[in-house]
Amino acid sequence: MGGLVIKRAYILAQQKEDFASTARRIHAIFFLATPHRGADLAQLLTKILNVTSGQRPFVTDLHRNSLATQSINDEFPQYSRELKLFSFYETLPTSYGVGKSLVVDKDLAILNYVNERTAYLNANHRDVCKYANQNDPNYRTVRNALASTIDNFRTAQTVLTHKLNKDQRRRLDAYLRKQDAPEDDFMDIDSMRISGSCEWLLQKKNFLDWRDSANTQLYWMSARPATGKTIASGKVINHLRDLNRDCAFYFFNHGDRAKATIQSFLLSMAWQMALMHTEILHVVLEVCEKDEDLSQANYRTIWRKLFVEGLMKVRLVRPQYWVIDGLDECRNDSDIIPILIKVVECCAVRILVTSRDSFEPYRQSEHPGVRVLSDCIAADDTRTDIALYLKANMNHLQSMDHEDSQIMSNKILLKSAGCFLWVRLILHELKRVHTSAEISQVLEDVPSGMNELYSRILDGMSAAPYGKVLSKAILIWTVCSTRPLTTDELLHALQIDIKDSIDSVERSIASNCGQLVYVDSHSRVQIIHQTARDYLLQADVHPEFGIDKRLGHKRVALSCLQYLNGNEMKGPRHRNLSFSNLVKQRSPFVAYASFSIFDHVAHVDATDEEVLSALVKFMSSTNVLSWIEYIARSSDLTRLVHAGKVLRSFLHKRSRDLSPLGQDVALLNKWATDLLRLVTKFGKELLSSPSSIFHLIPPFCPPESAPRKNFAASTRGITVLGLSAAGWDDCASTIFEPTEQFHALACSDKNFAIGTFSGNIVLYSVETCQETQRLRHCEPVRLLHFGNTTQFLIAAGARTVRIWDLISNHQAWEFKTTQLCMSLATTEGDELLLGALKNNTLLIWDLGLGTLRDSSNWTENLEGHQAHTFRRPIAAAFCMDSYLLAVVYRGQDIILWDLEGDALYDTYNKMTGASPILGKRAADAGAIALTFNMAPDANLLAAAYSDGDLVLFDTRDGHVKALTAANAQTLASSPDGRTLASGDGSGNLKLFDFETLKLLYCIQSNEYGIKELQFSSDNLQVLDIRGSRCRIWDPVALVRQDTEDESSDVVSLSTAPQEVRMNLNEDTPSITALTCHEAGEVFFCGKEDGSIHMYETRTGKHVQTLLSHAEGVSIINLYLDEESDTFCSTDSSSRVIVRTLVRQAKEWNVGATVFDHRIGVSVNQVLSNRGSTRLLVSSTTGDTVWSISTDISEIIGTIPREDGGAYRWTTHPKYKEQLLLIAGNVAHLYDWLTFSRLTNTEGILLEGSVLPELMIQSITPCFNGSIIATAFRESLGPRAKSKLLFWNSLDFNVQARNCVSVPKYHYLSDQVQVLIGSDGQKLVFLHGSGWVCSVDAQATGMEYFIRHFFFPADWLSTDAPLIIEITRRSDIIFAKRDEIAVIKRGLEISERGFDGGVGKSSSLASFKRPSLRVPEDPR
């Protein structure tokens, strides 16, 4: 009860000013079996007291969840946030006469606070604070917690040179995901170090040089496994703190993904340095405020924004020290070396690194500014430390006297060979025997090698009478898991695995396999050492406990799938996500099962039917959608990409032994593609609104995809009709930047880069196609090239070549050139950069020194050089495997230059191959593009010629190996050299077998101008740039097997309709105009060939062709008057036709012609009155109203236009006999019958935000005509942003002199990209984010709109204006090039999006299912 009293006293001290100073001095509280929420045993005590004379009023306060404990627990959290809390709980029952039980159960003894650490004591309630001696395990547990806490506070007083206020600390923790783990790791490690150990390190010359030198240096310390590197790192940290040095540190752990990434390392170092330095704190907060999600970014982005652009610009007075342990356990250890080198180069930071490996394998190039000191820990170095360890622990062997103990210590020391782990396990073994003879026998029997020792431990576990099933399960989960599981996670996993309940994981580990597995201070289950994991994974090492890797991963995978198939992961039933019911709390196992399932599937036998069945069950249920949502909430969509690739690999391996046919295999095969497409096509939407996977995304997937087929068949949900594509097309993703022109493209294993005419370079993730970095080249980017081994990106413009360090995101070197660079290449180690220039010059730069090493002209001293002296080459290509440069001149043979010999290698003629005559003019056509085969020793050169031929040369003997017609203008080789890609003048992309030029695949397009082609590093995707788009294609032809029939002449042709015109009928016209019938049953489309068609809204299918204008002219406007059933169409030749429509049964026919006239100038708008007796034709020269009928048409009046400004007409929604004109910021009213102006000369002034330079785009009556919505634009381009204003219809009257926009809709002013229309009750618009949103008449000052669904990004990636309409039945009609998509019931899905204020982008905060908080996966 004392703990409760302390809590209440601390609360009062915080509340009362008189005791505030006392409260500030309290930094930690240790609770020993405190009944925080009462104790069940108190109720029994109350009953006993009630039948006796004793009265103890306070006993009632100890009942479970009593008012007294609840009152304390309600207040304590808000006052204890800055405290370090430790709660220890009992594990042994207490005897109280009539029985025995735990006095305070675990759930009552712990607080479950974020700042609380818990530990168990192997004692009952009476003995939790009574210890036999200093060696009592319970004493050591409590003592270590106290000592480490005190040491931490003492260190903090010297290290923290500034004081953080609570707000700064809270913000820092939130931005960098609170990095407490390093300090906790240090406390655990330092508590294991024996006093006086590791002193040898402090005497080493290199260490002292590193510590005290005026120059910053890197100190590299390597050693064999299990020799105490981590303990030595802890000693260095302690030593530096004792010297009052600023020290930050990090312990890598390969078994824990959360501690094995560069990302977590950088965040931790930034967090620690921010705590030590005010200047850095301010910089970190400033950077993170600009990008609140920075901690979720990849390590390159964190390095660039947080360090290069932030921390590294701060100049600190004191030298800084970084201690990094276990670098070999970092998952990208080679990538971190350039970062460390950069830190040492640019900052006053001394870095100490420990690793199993020496520095030499990591050395990529010389860095003159960085000195690397290195030492290797030898057995002699640690001999003294092992002796101290033995001395401290030998006294536990009670049966030995001092002399025998010393002899035994010497024997152990002699056999240890410097391995601490071996000594530790030996002592554990010796504690299990009790006589001197047994101790001597153990030491004689125990082998000196680790493998033999592990075998002995497993034999002992095998001899145990109980618990072997559980022991095996614990070993499998510990060894095969992708990261250490917490005890809570492991508890749930084991119960699923062995199908039995478990009382305590901690006790099970301690009693069954404690020599190989342990629970660390963070309740994570760890293998004792990496060597133990390696040993156990040798399945034949032990008949009972050896682990077959495949079977181990299968067992874990099946347990994960069993959980994912369970009730906790079922999807929501209600389609309106805003009203979803709460679901019960999910198990702690959810994070591991969701993030790691496919890591385990990747290791199982692909022919295993049990795994296949479990996968099929999962992928066919709504649980898979819940899993996708859960992953999306973590902002790590790469897990979905990884899952798709694992499924694809799984099925590929399976097909080698089993038939690939069957429904189950077909389902998984669909998901293998679907998961990749969901990320590349809907990645942005998944990240912003994870719950959209349930009801918004599946309807927009192709009909044959698994998400659409399995989860979008409901008659109550969104339905997308009218599109012909049954499956995904070959286009994985489209990058569209309407304001840019793409000029250069390059691809590496992780990123692809696009260079633009404006000088921007944008990098995207290869896996997710999401933007990762931006660079500024300051001139049009003509060439891009990634380094082979280093993180370099080379960009070339007209006069400058820049080398970008992608880790720092800064420019490493800049080289000036006199002419445009045609081709770039780097040597294997990226030491040299080669550039071929337009003036026949070869430049070679040294990337280590940043200097020009050599320059030569390949046309000098050549026979017949006059043929080239005054000519400029048009293309060039390097082959660094053969050290050749191929150069193309217009109309001449290809020149091959030997880079090593600096001499002419050969010239190639299109027909004959190698030609002896230099400078010979090509007889028929010259080469225009060329590329070498990128495979080693391939010796192939492909060249495209101006007459359409594609020629393949063998560079070994110069003969023509193959020739075919291709009309290619750009070429690219796949990295493996198997595939050649070409882009022709019509925009078609073709894939050829490189060795034979056999056509493998063709993607046809009517989109011209493929600027460049590149393959992905895995050879499975090809990228192209044209105009403002980059498309990523992954045709099935690229998944080629070595066993394919090379003799087949079959050409694989993409016949599926693509996201751009990729069908076989190149003359299929696109839709250019759209209008809907008021009843909503049908709608009409005009096309670019002059034809007009009718479609059925119910099915989205084409019904009939109504009529056609002249062939080859586009329909630019359609107008339908329902009252008179007249149909008006306008084409690009300024011809206006008005005809009647006659409905007979289910057919519509075109009747009499009412009006047919060619205006002669460009027509802007056509409008008729109700009944179609009057027709307004608005053109660039003026506006004319016609009186029209089947008998005669005549002009009523004309208004000439001289200013050429933008203006728009509409029928007044309240006064149907009037016309409303808006031009600039002025409105006028006209009479429909006479076309006379009703307002005065000045008109009606539109007051408010309508600037004169804004141009009216559209006028839309809404809310049953009570409101007029007007869209203005700064320009009339298809991508100009709209400004939306609302007006009261009645304010536009003849007497009005001014009109003010309706204030309550001002928040919508800058939200609209496209104003779609009104269904009468609500106004529907396309938001800039791609969401279809609406606002209704009841919207008050709450500043909200409702978002319903989003269009796929590919639908919106067009240069043409978007054509979208809404019917009276609230169906959305979307013109998708030559097809129509009808979205039904889309507006029935609703989710409110609140706006942060007028003029700002809407937050459109993604809806979150309120019950599902994604636990952070510590990977």
Side-chain angles (χ1 to χ4, degrees):
M1 190 168 181
L4 300 178
V5 174
I6 288 295
K7 287 165 69 177
R8 170 56 69 187
Y10 182 74
I11 293 171
L12 293 173
Q14 286 279 8
Q15 294 173 339
K16 296 184 180 298
E17 188 175 348
D18 292 345
F19 301 102
S21 61
T22 301
R24 284 195 297 269
R25 295 172 186 169
I26 299 173
H27 298 285
I29 301 179
F30 295 76
F31 297 103
L32 300 180
T34 297
H36 293 295
R37 281 179 288 277
D40 294 333
L41 206 59
Q43 293 179 338
L44 176 61
L45 180 58
T46 298
K47 294 177 181 179
I48 295 174
L49 292 174
N50 286 339
V51 298
T52 64
S53 58
Q55 291 295 323
R56 299 290 189 274
F58 63 84
V59 175
T60 306
D61 293 339
L62 291 177
H63 287 190
R64 180 186 281 262
N65 295 325
S66 67
L67 290 176
T69 58
Q70 285 187 25
S71 174
I72 295 173
N73 291 332
D74 287 343
E75 294 183 274
F76 190 61
Q78 62 180 308
Y79 294 114
S80 61
R81 291 173 185 165
E82 300 302 318
L83 295 179
K84 286 191 176 294
L85 303 176
F86 294 78
S87 294
F88 300 88
Y89 56 91
E90 62 201 77
T91 56
L92 300 181
T94 299
S95 177
Y96 46 85
V98 296
K100 63 178 182 178
S101 67
L102 295 177
V103 176
V104 181
D105 291 322
K106 176 183 176 181
D107 65 311
L108 302 173
I110 62 178
L111 294 163
N112 289 318
Y113 293 176
V114 175
N115 55 328
E116 176 195 31
R117 291 176 60 184
T118 64
Y120 72 89
L121 297 176
N122 192 31
N124 59 32
H125 192 71
R126 294 192 188 97
D127 295 335
V128 291
C129 56
K130 299 177 182 178
Y131 313 114
N133 52 49
Q134 291 185 356
N135 296 317
D136 188 326
N138 293 333
Y139 169 82
R140 295 177 67 87
T141 299
V142 178
R143 178 262 177 202
N144 288 345
L146 281 166
S148 61
T149 303
I150 293 170
D151 183 62
N152 189 27
F153 292 143
R154 183 186 299 119
T155 303
Q157 295 302 314
T158 58
V159 172
L160 297 183
T161 58
H162 67 285
K163 185 176 181 180
L164 280 70
N165 60 45
K166 291 183 179 180
D167 178 64
Q168 287 177 320
R169 178 59 183 267
R170 178 189 57 78
R171 289 159 57 205
L172 182 67
D173 291 347
Y175 288 143
L176 301 186
R177 293 188 296 178
K178 194 172 184 180
Q179 304 292 319
D180 280 343
E183 190 65 38
D184 293 338
D185 290 343
F186 167 68
M187 291 162 56
D188 293 341
I189 290 164
D190 199 50
S191 64
M192 292 188 291
R193 184 173 57 83
I194 302 298
S195 178
S197 62
C198 297
E199 294 297 329
W200 53 269
L201 176 58
L202 307 184
Q203 308 303 318
K204 281 189 172 289
K205 179 181 181 301
N206 282 342
F207 173 81
L208 295 174
D209 191 4
W210 168 79
R211 185 194 69 185
D212 301 328
S213 173
N215 300 320
T216 56
Q217 301 172 95
L218 177 66
Y219 181 37
W220 192 281
M221 191 165 60
S222 59
R224 293 184 299 109
T227 52
K229 297 185 296 295
T230 300
I231 301 297
S233 297
K235 172 64 176 180
V236 173
I237 297 167
N238 232 333
H239 173 69
L240 293 172
R241 286 182 168 182
D242 288 342
L243 297 176
N244 195 24
R245 305 288 174 90
D246 296 338
C247 177
F249 50 89
Y250 194 81
F251 297 90
F252 281 103
N253 184 348
H254 186 273
D256 185 349
R257 284 192 175 181
K259 296 181 181 178
T261 65
I262 302 177
Q263 177 194 39
S264 58
F265 161 73
L266 293 174
L267 291 174
S268 176
M269 303 309 277
W271 185 81
Q272 293 178 68
M273 295 192 73
L275 291 181
M276 288 189 283
H277 305 286
T278 306
E279 309 96 307
I280 289 181
L281 172 68
H282 291 159
V283 168
V284 170
L285 295 179
E286 181 181 350
V287 170
C288 292
E289 281 166 1
K290 295 177 182 177
D291 185 356
E292 295 185 0
D293 297 324
L294 182 59
S295 64
Q296 303 293 332
N298 61 55
Y299 76 82
R300 292 183 177 87
T301 302
I302 295 173
W303 165 249
R304 171 173 55 87
K305 291 187 176 181
L306 201 54
F307 283 81
V308 176
E309 298 175 2
L311 274 65
M312 292 172 65
K313 293 183 178 180
V314 178
R315 290 293 173 258
L316 300 173
V317 177
R318 290 158 53 92
Q320 305 298 299
Y321 294 85
W322 285 9
V323 177
I324 304 169
D325 178 67
L327 189 78
D328 54 286
E329 301 192 41
C330 173
R331 292 187 179 274
N332 302 94
D333 53 344
S334 59
D335 290 349
I336 201 175
I337 300 301
I339 291 177
L340 300 182
I341 294 293
K342 201 72 173 179
V343 170
V344 175
E345 266 185 332
C346 303
C347 307
V349 178
R350 297 165 171 81
I351 301 178
L352 182 146
V353 174
T354 69
S355 173
R356 294 186 187 183
D357 306 313
S358 66
F359 178 70
E360 287 308 313
Y362 296 99
R363 190 186 297 275
Q364 296 170 342
S365 58
E366 294 297 331
H367 296 272
V370 178
R371 183 184 178 197
V372 179
L373 306 172
S374 60
D375 277 321
C376 180
I377 301 177
D380 290 340
D381 292 328
T382 57
R383 186 182 300 276
T384 304
D385 296 346
I386 294 176
L388 289 171
Y389 182 78
L390 289 170
K391 183 178 179 180
N393 289 276
M394 286 298 288
N395 57 354
H396 296 310
L397 307 179
Q398 303 294 337
S399 57
M400 301 180 64
D401 57 26
H402 176 73
E403 185 176 350
D404 291 338
S405 176
Q406 188 61 46
I407 294 173
M408 192 64 62
S409 293
N410 291 337
K411 289 183 178 180
I412 295 173
L413 185 61
L414 187 63
K415 296 183 70 173
S416 68
C419 182
F420 269 97
L421 178 60
W422 184 88
V423 174
R424 178 181 169 188
L425 292 175
I426 288 300
L427 290 179
H428 193 282
E429 187 86 2
L430 292 174
K431 290 177 185 177
R432 300 170 61 184
V433 297
H434 305 287
T435 67
S436 298
E438 290 174 334
I439 290 174
S440 299
Q441 186 63 42
V442 165
L443 193 58
E444 291 298 325
D445 293 344
V446 169
S448 58
M450 292 304 302
N451 286 355
E452 293 82 358
L453 182 55
Y454 290 143
S455 177
R456 179 185 175 87
I457 293 171
L458 294 181
D459 288 340
M461 291 170 58
S462 184
Y466 305 107
K468 286 187 282 188
V469 172
L470 180 57
S471 297
K472 180 66 178 284
I474 292 172
L475 288 178
I476 288 175
W477 279 90
T478 307
V479 167
C480 294
S481 61
T482 58
R483 63 165 174 81
L485 279 75
T486 66
T487 51
D488 287 338
E489 288 177 323
L490 185 59
L491 175 65
H492 287 81
L494 290 173
Q495 290 179 156
I496 293 173
D497 184 7
I498 67 175
K499 299 175 176 58
D500 199 356
S501 59
I502 303 170
D503 57 352
S504 170
V505 168
E506 294 94 331
R507 286 202 295 271
S508 299
I509 290 173
S511 59
N512 295 336
C513 45
Q515 288 180 275
L516 297 177
V517 179
Y518 70 98
V519 179
D520 67 15
S521 60
H522 304 289
S523 298
R524 293 172 302 193
V525 181
Q526 306 267 17
I527 195 74
I528 194 168
H529 199 266
Q530 182 64 32
T531 55
R533 175 181 279 108
D534 297 339
Y535 178 78
L536 289 169
L537 284 173
Q538 303 173 51
D540 56 348
V541 298
H542 196 275
E544 197 163 7
F545 292 106
I547 299 173
D548 182 292
K549 188 174 182 178
R550 284 192 174 185
L551 295 179
H553 281 287
K554 172 189 174 180
R555 186 164 167 175
V556 175
L558 288 174
S559 297
C560 291
L561 286 168
Q562 185 176 338
Y563 172 79
L564 294 175
N565 280 321
N567 292 331
E568 286 188 13
M569 293 296 287
K570 284 188 180 298
R573 296 180 180 178
H574 204 292
R575 61 198 170 125
N576 278 333
L577 303 183
S578 302
F579 306 105
S580 296
N581 294 324
L582 298 180
V583 299
K584 59 185 178 181
Q585 186 66 35
R586 285 173 169 169
S587 158
F589 185 52
V590 61
Y592 186 84
S594 298
F595 287 112
S596 301
I597 170 59
F598 284 96
D599 290 329
H600 297 292
V601 172
H603 290 93
V604 303
D605 185 350
T607 62
D608 194 295
E609 295 297 330
E610 192 176 3
V611 174
L612 179 73
S613 298
L615 281 171
V616 169
K617 180 181 178 181
F618 173 53
M619 305 304 267
S620 58
S621 69
T622 58
N623 295 45
V624 71
L625 300 183
S626 292
W627 169 72
I628 293 172
E629 182 210 27
Y630 189 90
I631 295 295
R633 290 189 186 282
S634 73
S635 300
D636 185 12
L637 296 183
T638 58
R639 301 309 300 168
L640 299 181
V641 176
H642 173 67
K645 290 181 177 179
V646 168
L647 281 176
R648 183 175 290 176
S649 175
F650 179 86
L651 295 175
H652 173 60
K653 294 175 185 175
R654 183 180 177 85
S655 66
R656 296 172 182 170
D657 302 303
L658 300 172
S659 170
L661 304 178
Q663 291 183 348
D664 291 350
V665 172
L667 175 68
L668 296 186
N669 193 40
K670 287 180 180 178
W671 273 112
T673 300
D674 294 341
L675 287 170
L676 300 177
R677 287 293 197 267
L678 287 175
V679 173
T680 56
K681 289 189 178 288
F682 299 100
K684 182 179 177 182
E685 290 76 16
L686 274 172
L687 291 174
S688 64
S689 182
S691 58
S692 62
I693 188 60
F694 292 109
H695 302 291
L696 301 186
I697 291 178
F700 289 93
C701 296
E704 290 302 315
S705 67
R708 172 80 171 266
K709 203 167 188 178
N710 295 346
F711 309 117
S714 171
T715 56
R716 299 176 56 199
I718 295 179
T719 302
V720 180
L721 304 171
L723 300 178
S724 59
W728 299 105
D729 54 49
D730 293 323
C731 182
S733 187
T734 301
I735 309 295
F736 179 54
E737 291 286 347
T739 60
E740 295 277 15
Q741 284 293 310
F742 295 166
H743 270 247
L745 181 66
C747 198
S748 71
D749 58 340
K750 297 178 181 177
N751 299 292
F752 63 91
I754 299 173
T756 72
F757 185 77
S758 65
N760 291 320
I761 302 172
V762 188
L763 281 83
Y764 299 85
S765 165
V766 167
E767 288 192 327
T768 66
C769 299
Q770 302 295 311
E771 182 180 329
T772 59
Q773 279 176 271
R774 273 186 181 260
L775 306 170
R776 182 69 184 151
H777 188 71
C778 300
E779 66 175 336
V781 181
R782 304 292 183 177
L783 278 177
L784 289 172
H785 179 81
F786 280 100
N788 297 316
T789 58
T790 57
Q791 294 298 322
F792 279 151
L793 174 64
I794 302 147
R799 293 292 184 269
T800 309
V801 175
R802 288 184 170 90
I803 288 78
W804 298 91
D805 184 340
L806 295 182
I807 296 178
S808 66
N809 206 43
H810 273 206
Q811 181 178 304
W813 308 112
E814 177 180 318
F815 306 126
K816 294 297 182 181
T817 59
T818 57
Q819 291 286 329
L820 181 67
C821 211
M822 298 182 294
S823 184
L824 293 168
T826 52
T827 55
E828 186 175 351
D830 291 338
E831 295 92 354
L832 301 177
L833 169 65
L834 286 74
L837 274 59
K838 281 273 190 180
N839 60 354
N840 301 306
T841 301
L842 173 67
L843 299 180
I844 302 177
W845 292 281
D846 188 317
L847 292 182
L849 302 176
T851 58
L852 180 65
R853 175 179 286 193
D854 195 8
S855 173
S856 62
N857 187 309
W858 59 76
T859 64
E860 289 181 356
N861 302 320
L862 289 179
E863 182 183 350
H865 73 278
Q866 292 83 0
H868 301 287
T869 301
F870 301 105
R871 308 211 32 135
R872 290 165 59 83
I874 60 174
F878 286 99
C879 177
M880 298 311 296
D881 185 59
S882 302
Y883 283 95
L884 292 177
L885 168 66
V887 185
V888 171
Y889 293 86
R890 192 174 306 278
Q892 293 186 334
D893 290 343
I894 300 170
I895 284 182
L896 268 72
W897 186 260
D898 183 348
L899 296 173
E900 279 191 317
D902 194 23
L904 179 69
Y905 179 79
D906 214 335
T907 59
Y908 286 169
N909 180 271
K910 170 187 167 184
M911 302 307 298
T912 62
S915 171
I917 304 175
L918 180 64
K920 178 183 175 183
R921 189 165 185 82
D924 301 318
I928 56 175
L930 73 172
T931 185
F932 283 97
N933 189 302
M934 294 180 64
D937 301 320
N939 300 302
L940 295 175
L941 171 67
Y945 283 80
S946 57
D947 62 354
D949 285 343
L950 179 62
V951 181
L952 184 66
F953 299 99
D954 188 325
T955 58
R956 284 171 296 193
D957 54 21
H959 79 276
V960 176
K961 189 171 183 179
L963 185 149
T964 189
N967 294 315
Q969 292 185 340
T970 181
L971 299 172
S973 168
S974 62
D976 63 3
R978 301 188 65 184
T979 310
L980 174 68
S982 76
D984 65 23
S986 299
N988 300 320
L989 194 156
K990 296 177 182 178
L991 301 177
F992 300 87
D993 179 90
F994 209 128
E995 290 195 0
T996 63
L997 294 189
K998 182 181 76 173
L999 181 62
L1000 302 172
Y1001 208 73
C1002 175
I1003 301 173
Q1004 293 183 317
S1005 169
N1006 62 0
E1007 222 179 38
Y1008 301 106
I1010 296 180
K1011 184 74 175 177
E1012 189 170 354
L1013 293 167
Q1014 288 286 337
F1015 279 87
S1016 60
S1017 61
D1018 61 3
N1019 309 287
L1020 298 178
Q1021 293 180 322
V1022 61
L1023 295 78
D1024 75 49
I1025 54 173
R1026 43 182 126 190
S1028 300
R1029 291 174 191 78
C1030 171
R1031 285 192 172 85
I1032 299 91
W1033 307 92
D1034 58 357
V1036 69
L1038 291 179
V1039 187
R1040 299 164 60 198
Q1041 308 304 323
D1042 293 330
T1043 56
E1044 69 183 273
D1045 183 7
E1046 295 294 342
S1047 64
S1048 171
D1049 291 323
V1050 175
V1051 174
S1052 177
L1053 184 64
S1054 173
T1055 57
Q1058 306 297 316
E1059 292 303 321
V1060 288
R1061 274 271 29 94
M1062 295 295 167
N1063 62 6
L1064 298 178
N1065 301 316
E1066 294 187 10
D1067 58 348
T1068 302
S1070 296
I1071 294 169
T1072 53
L1074 175 66
T1075 191
C1076 300
H1077 192 276
E1078 187 172 3
E1081 297 177 0
V1082 295
F1083 57 92
F1084 305 90
C1085 295
K1087 297 193 174 183
E1088 62 183 355
D1089 65 348
S1091 60
I1092 300 172
H1093 306 261
M1094 186 173 75
Y1095 291 77
E1096 185 181 43
T1097 308
R1098 183 177 61 86
T1099 63
K1101 291 183 178 179
H1102 180 267
V1103 177
Q1104 64 186 98
T1105 301
L1106 286 178
L1107 68 140
S1108 182
H1109 285 228
E1111 185 177 352
V1113 295
S1114 297
I1115 303 299
I1116 62 172
N1117 182 267
L1118 295 176
Y1119 183 84
L1120 179 65
D1121 177 54
E1122 288 84 0
E1123 184 174 300
S1124 61
D1125 277 336
T1126 55
F1127 188 81
C1128 177
S1129 56
T1130 308
D1131 65 31
S1132 57
S1133 69
S1134 77
R1135 184 184 180 190
V1136 180
I1137 302 176
V1138 180
R1139 301 185 70 170
T1140 60
L1141 289 176
V1142 181
R1143 183 173 185 179
Q1144 298 175 342
K1146 294 185 178 181
E1147 284 193 12
W1148 296 68
N1149 294 310
V1150 178
T1153 300
V1154 180
F1155 182 84
D1156 188 345
H1157 183 74
R1158 193 179 305 278
I1159 307 303
V1161 293
S1162 178
V1163 176
N1164 297 328
Q1165 185 182 8
V1166 177
L1167 184 68
S1168 74
N1169 67 340
R1170 198 76 173 172
S1172 288
T1173 61
R1174 295 290 185 271
L1175 182 70
L1176 169 71
V1177 179
S1178 177
S1179 69
T1180 54
T1181 60
D1183 306 312
T1184 302
V1185 170
W1186 295 72
S1187 172
I1188 62 172
S1189 68
T1190 54
D1191 299 326
I1192 188 171
S1193 298
E1194 58 182 358
I1195 296 175
I1196 300 297
T1198 298
I1199 303 174
R1201 293 289 173 189
E1202 298 177 356
D1203 56 2
Y1207 51 92
R1208 205 74 179 165
W1209 295 88
T1210 191
T1211 298
H1212 198 297
K1214 290 299 184 181
Y1215 312 118
K1216 302 295 184 181
E1217 71 282 1
Q1218 295 180 3
L1219 272 167
L1220 172 63
L1221 167 68
I1222 296 180
N1225 61 346
V1226 176
H1228 283 281
L1229 294 175
Y1230 287 79
D1231 185 271
W1232 250 123
L1233 293 178
T1234 64
F1235 201 40
S1236 58
R1237 191 177 67 233
L1238 303 177
T1239 50
N1240 61 23
T1241 306
E1242 290 76 17
I1244 303 170
L1245 180 65
L1246 304 181
E1247 296 183 349
S1249 303
V1250 184
L1251 302 175
E1253 59 266 25
L1254 291 176
M1255 293 178 285
I1256 184 70
Q1257 178 193 6
S1258 66
I1259 306 174
T1260 307
C1262 55
F1263 310 148
N1264 294 319
S1266 63
I1267 295 292
I1268 293 176
T1270 56
F1272 293 85
R1273 284 189 174 183
E1274 294 180 2
S1275 66
L1276 293 180
R1279 286 290 165 174
K1281 191 174 181 181
S1282 294
K1283 187 177 185 65
L1284 189 65
L1285 295 173
F1286 292 78
W1287 316 86
N1288 193 315
S1289 299
L1290 296 176
D1291 289 346
F1292 293 99
N1293 57 71
V1294 176
Q1295 291 77 30
R1297 295 294 178 266
N1298 54 54
C1299 185
V1300 179
S1301 59
V1302 182
K1304 70 176 183 178
Y1305 297 114
H1306 281 177
Y1307 67 94
L1308 284 173
S1309 175
D1310 296 316
Q1311 305 299 323
V1312 179
Q1313 179 180 341
V1314 176
L1315 188 58
I1316 296 175
S1318 173
D1319 64 357
Q1321 299 300 317
K1322 50 184 172 287
L1323 184 70
V1324 181
F1325 61 91
L1326 178 67
H1327 190 271
S1329 63
W1331 282 77
V1332 173
C1333 305
S1334 71
V1335 62
D1336 54 38
Q1338 285 70 42
T1340 57
M1342 291 179 62
E1343 297 193 355
Y1344 71 77
F1345 51 85
I1346 300 170
R1347 66 178 189 173
H1348 300 281
F1349 64 92
F1350 47 78
F1351 291 121
D1354 281 349
W1355 289 24
L1356 306 177
S1357 61
T1358 174
D1359 291 325
L1362 296 173
I1363 303 175
I1364 316 172
E1365 293 287 341
I1366 181 172
T1367 71
R1368 285 286 176 176
R1369 297 181 177 181
S1370 298
D1371 296 324
I1372 303 294
I1373 314 296
F1374 189 102
K1376 190 169 180 284
R1377 299 175 181 92
D1378 66 310
E1379 293 190 308
I1380 284 291
V1382 180
I1383 297 94
K1384 304 184 76 67
R1385 295 181 293 277
L1387 300 185
E1388 295 177 17
I1389 300 288
S1390 60
E1391 177 184 323
R1392 295 193 185 278
F1394 289 84
D1395 176 45
V1398 178
K1400 299 179 182 178
S1401 298
S1402 170
S1403 62
L1404 277 175
S1406 60
F1407 177 77
K1408 296 182 180 179
R1409 293 171 67 193
S1411 61
L1412 306 183
R1413 183 181 69 82
V1414 181
E1416 210 174 285
D1417 182 47
R1419 58 178 59 243

